Amino acid sequence: MPISFSSSASNQRTNNTLEDVLYRIRLMKKEKCLQQSWLKMIVDSGNQLSEMIENSLDTFKMEENTYVFTPSPCNLADIFNKLARDLDSQIRKKNISLEVFIDGRQMLPEGTFWVSGEFRLLQNLFGNLLKNAIEASPEDEKVRVDFDPQQKDMFLIRINNKGVVPEILRDRFFDRYATHGKKSGTGLGTYSAKLIAKTHRGNIRFETDETSGTTLFVLLPSSPEPEPDKEHETDSFSLKKVDFTLQGTILMAEDNPINQQVIKGLMEDHDILLDIAENGQEVVQIQNLLKYDLILMDMEMPVMDGSEAIQIIRKQYAHDELPILSLTAHDLALSEINQPKIIINDVISKPIQPDHFFKILRKYLKSVPVTQTLNNSEPEKRVLANDILNLDRALQQLMGKRHLLENIMQSFKKEYFNAPEAIKKLIENKQFQSAQRKIHTIKGLAGTIGAPMLQKAAQDLENAITDRMLPGVNQLISSFRQNLDPVIETIEKLLPGSPKESVEPSLSNDLAEQLTLLEKNLDRFYELLLDSDSEANDACDLCYSALSYLTQNTDDRLLLDQLKQNMKNYLFDDAATILKTLTQKLGLELQTH
C-alpha cells in the first residue's frame, strides 16, 4: 500500500514553516556564540527533517509512477567524496577504512565516473546504502566500493562490508519497513534505493555469506563525460583569445597574503584599481572614505568577519548601489544568505576558477572589447602533473601565469611548512576558531596550487575541528602532515633556485629616538598578548623593525623569528613568553599596568 498524504498544500506549508524556523535559528547562531553547538544540532535536525519530507514526496511519486525523471550526466566520484565527508564521524567511531576504486584503481579526489541520472536521487540512493554498510560492518574492518564499467551502456557499482544480513531479513531485504536489530531503523533505506534504481532504468540486488560478507550490486545507465565549455577551453600553456578587459575599482577584504597574491595576479591584465583590507573593520573604515565599484569580501577574517562588515555597509548602501561579492571556501547558497533581504550580490568559491570569477565580475564592472593571446613564455618546460601537485590544473586556474604560480608556491612553502604543529598547538590551547581558520585557508590554497590529496586531508581536518571531534584529531593532523610534506618537497624541487631574502633591517630614524618609541610600543604589545587581543598583530608590526635591527647577526634573532611565527599562528601566550625573554636579553624593560 503506497504512502498517502492528506494534502500537498499542507506539506508545502510544513516546508515553508520549517524554512522560516531554520532561517531564524541561523540568525540566532550569529548572535550567541555559547549556544552555537546546540543551535547547530537543531539546524542539522531541521535540515534532516526537511530532506525526509522531500524524499517522502519523491518516494510517493515513484510508487505511483508519476515522478518526472530528468536525467543528466552525474559524476559518482563527487557523490562518494561528499558522502565520505558526511559519514566521517561514523567511519572514525568504528575505526573503519572506506576504500573506493574505479576500474580496480583507488579513486583520487579528482576522479570521475559518469552515469546518467539525477544527482539528488543518486546521492540519496548511495547515502542509504553506504550508511547501512558502515553500520553493518564490524569494527576495524573495510568497507569497499568498486565502480566497474562492465558494459558500454551500463555501469556496475559494488558496495561490500564484512557484516552478514540476518536470515530473517534476506527474503524481504528491499521491502518497505524491513529492518532488524536497529533501534532507529525505519526500513525505508533499501526500499527507496530499489525505487530510485528502477526509476533510473537500473537494477539493485545483494549477496551475503559468512566468508565475503555482504555485497550490494547497483546497475545504472552510463553517461559520456560532459563536453567542456569550448568558449573557455584552455591548456596549460596557451590561453585562447581574451576578448575583454575589465575596468573599475575594487576593494578586497582578504587577510591571507597568498590569496591576495592570487587575485592581484589574475587582475594584472585588466584596468582594475585594487585596494586591499585585511579585515572587516578596515573595509568599513575605507569604504566610508572612498566609493568603489564593488567589494570582494572574505567571510572569515580576524577582528571583524565578513558577515558583520556587510551588515554595517548595507545600512549605508543597498545591494543595487554597491555590489558585494562573497569570497569563501564553504558551500554557501546565495538564496540562503539573502534572507529575508538581499545583502550579497554573488558568491565566488575558493579556490578561484578564473572563468567563473571573471564571468561574475563582468556583471558589475565595465567590460571593454579587446583581442589578445596569452602565451606562456616557457612552453618547453612541461610541468609536473601527479597526485601530489597537478600543476597543469593549477596553471589553468591562474590563466597560464607561470610566474604567479611560482610566487604562490614559494609563499605557501614559507608560510605553511610547519602548519601541522601550529594547528596542534592551537587545539591544545583550545583556540579552535584560529585553528579552523588556518586549516580552512590551507584547504583553499591547496586547491589553487593543484594539491588534491592535501586539499582532501585539510577538508577532513577542518570538519573534525568544526564538529569538535577531538579524539580523532591527532590522527587527522598526522594524515595532514603526510600529505603536506610531499607538497613542500615537490615545490622545493621545482623551485631550487628560489632567491632567499637577505635584506638587512635598517632604522629610518635616529637609534635613540627609535628605541624610546620601541619601549613604549613594547609595553602595549606585551599587554595585548597577555589579553589575547587580536590587535597584538598591529602592535607587533610597530615593534618589529627596531627589534630586527637590534637582533641582526646575533643568536637572539632566532627568538625574534619564533615570535613572528607565533604571531602568525595566533599563539599569543607563547609569543608573550618569547617577548619577555627577548626583551630581557636586549636589556629592555617591560612595564605592565
Side-chain angles (χ1 to χ4, degrees), residues 144-196:
R144 174 167 173 148
V145 180
D146 282 275
F147 298 153
D148 187 1
Q150 281 195 334
Q151 307 169 24
K152 184 177 180 181
D153 56 344
M154 299 294 287
F155 284 169
L156 180 67
I157 299 92
R158 298 191 301 271
I159 303 175
N160 174 264
N161 77 85
K162 297 304 179 183
V164 179
V165 177
E167 282 197 41
I168 193 173
L169 194 61
R170 295 179 187 180
D171 291 338
R172 53 191 185 92
F173 187 75
F174 293 108
D175 291 352
R176 188 195 300 146
Y177 309 133
T179 185
H180 179 79
K182 291 169 62 177
K183 292 182 180 180
S184 59
T186 64
L188 293 174
T190 52
Y191 173 70
S192 66
K194 184 175 182 179
L195 278 176
I196 293 170

Side-chain angles (χ1 to χ4, degrees), residues 347-386:
V347 175
I348 296 174
S349 298
K350 300 177 185 176
I352 289 173
Q353 304 299 319
D355 285 348
H356 177 69
F357 180 65
F358 285 112
K359 180 180 178 181
I360 296 296
L361 291 189
R362 289 184 76 176
K363 293 163 63 175
Y364 306 102
L365 298 175
K366 183 179 180 181
S367 180
V368 179
V370 67
T371 301
Q372 59 178 345
T373 302
L374 300 176
N375 291 312
N376 190 283
S377 59
E378 301 176 70
E380 72 283 356
K381 208 174 148 186
R382 188 71 182 178
V383 293
L384 175 70
N386 58 24

Side-chain angles (χ1 to χ4, degrees), residues 119 203 250 300 341 467 586:
F119 191 91
N203 191 21
I250 297 176
E300 294 189 20
K341 60 183 180 180
D467 296 337
L586 295 174

